[in-house]
Amino acid sequence: GENVEQHPSTLSVQEGDSAVIKCTYSDSASNYFPWYKQELGKRPQLIIDIRSNVGEKKDQRIAVTLNKTAKHFSLHITETQPEDSAVYFCAASLSYGQNFVFGPGTRLSVLP
Amino acid sequence: KAGVTQTPRYLIKTRGQQVTLSCSPISGHRSVSWYQQTPGQGLQFLFEYFSETQRNKGNFPGRFSGRQFSNSRSEMNVSTLELGDSALYLCASSWLAGERETQYFGPGTRLLVL
């Protein structure tokens, strides 16, 4: 089955700097890759997603890139702010009723 | 649209008891998935229901079971509770007409087993 690895497990950046979190997946048939942000005590919330027919997607300060050949995808956050501090999860999924497999999460701390 | 709701939000049980958790998906969503979240294990998939049928199942013992009703509401049951079952249980719903769609999470039920 699918296996998703995520690095780093913790990441500290200065406010205003960029943060990059990388995930790798094992099943080349996976074709949908969402990213979730979970603040302390709250539910995971989708922040951006990408499908396998797209190499990059951007939404304001957040972007995701996908390299299908290497089977990895990355989350890029620019101009980080203290409110970006949270745990970020990547996930991979096949179509047609296959379940999501989540990475173990990255705890991002944005230092003022 | 109203978001995914879960009840109860908090629950305290003792070992050996059983518990039932409920999840109401976003209106129109037909797929409901359940996850167990613990500090050490992250988000682990329990099972997914679609149109009242269990479509996928994770690697959890048979003490964990679920079902989905015709209105897409779902319940999960854990029998013979163990201390290690203490966790945040999250459900997520999606439309899932064919191509994989985004999952939206509920607030979770925090279960503490004493």
Side-chain angles (χ1 to χ4, degrees):
Chain A
E2 176 65 277
N3 181 53
V4 177
E5 296 184 353
Q6 185 173 346
H7 299 281
S9 57
T10 60
L11 178 61
S12 293
V13 299
Q14 290 294 133
E15 183 177 357
D17 287 350
S18 295
V20 180
I21 303 170
K22 182 175 176 179
C23 288
T24 59
Y25 60 99
S26 60
D27 193 332
S28 57
S30 289
N31 59 9
Y32 177 63
F33 308 93
W35 285 89
Y36 287 86
K37 173 185 180 182
Q38 188 175 28
E39 296 175 79
L40 190 62
K42 297 189 176 181
R43 73 188 78 187
Q45 292 202 307
L46 179 79
I47 54 172
I48 197 166
D49 58 7
I50 192 167
R51 297 189 187 276
S52 59
N53 57 350
V54 175
E56 183 174 359
K57 185 176 178 182
K58 191 173 181 180
D59 182 5
Q60 300 183 338
R61 297 186 297 108
I62 294 173
V64 57
T65 58
L66 172 65
N67 184 326
K68 286 213 59 158
T69 303
K71 289 189 283 187
H72 68 71
F73 57 110
S74 299
L75 177 71
H76 304 254
I77 306 174
T78 59
E79 300 172 20
T80 53
Q81 301 167 4
E83 52 265 38
D84 294 329
S85 296
V87 178
Y88 291 81
F89 293 96
C90 62
S93 175
L94 300 167
S95 293
Y96 307 110
Q98 300 300 313
N99 58 282
F100 284 84
V101 178
F102 282 83
T106 295
R107 183 174 299 279
L108 174 64
S109 298
V110 180
L111 308 174
Chain B
K1 285 184 179 179
V4 180
T5 59
Q6 291 186 245
T7 57
R9 295 292 311 279
Y10 304 92
L11 206 49
I12 300 175
K13 292 285 188 178
T14 56
R15 278 180 300 173
Q17 287 187 308
Q18 67 113 26
V19 65
T20 299
L21 313 181
S22 180
C23 172
S24 292
I26 292 172
S27 178
H29 284 191
R30 297 163 64 191
S31 168
V32 174
S33 296
W34 288 89
Y35 295 88
Q36 182 192 67
Q37 186 175 32
T38 58
Q41 298 296 322
L43 277 161
Q44 292 194 290
F45 173 74
L46 280 155
F47 27 67
E48 177 188 17
Y49 286 87
F50 180 76
S51 294
E52 302 179 65
T53 301
Q54 185 183 88
R55 181 153 56 180
N56 291 295
K57 190 176 189 306
N59 296 323
F60 278 81
R63 300 185 296 107
F64 292 81
S65 63
R67 59 178 175 168
Q68 186 180 34
F69 302 94
S70 58
N71 61 358
S72 293
R73 188 177 70 86
S74 177
E75 290 182 346
M76 69 163 279
N77 183 77
V78 187
S79 62
T80 319
L81 284 166
E82 300 177 359
L83 295 178
D85 297 333
S86 294
L88 179 67
Y89 290 88
L90 292 159
C91 77
S93 76
S94 63
W95 170 243
L96 198 60
E99 187 173 306
R100 171 54 70 177
E101 294 291 341
T102 302
Q103 287 193 332
Y104 296 90
F105 282 88
T109 294
R110 190 166 295 281
L111 172 64
L112 177 62
V113 181
L114 302 175

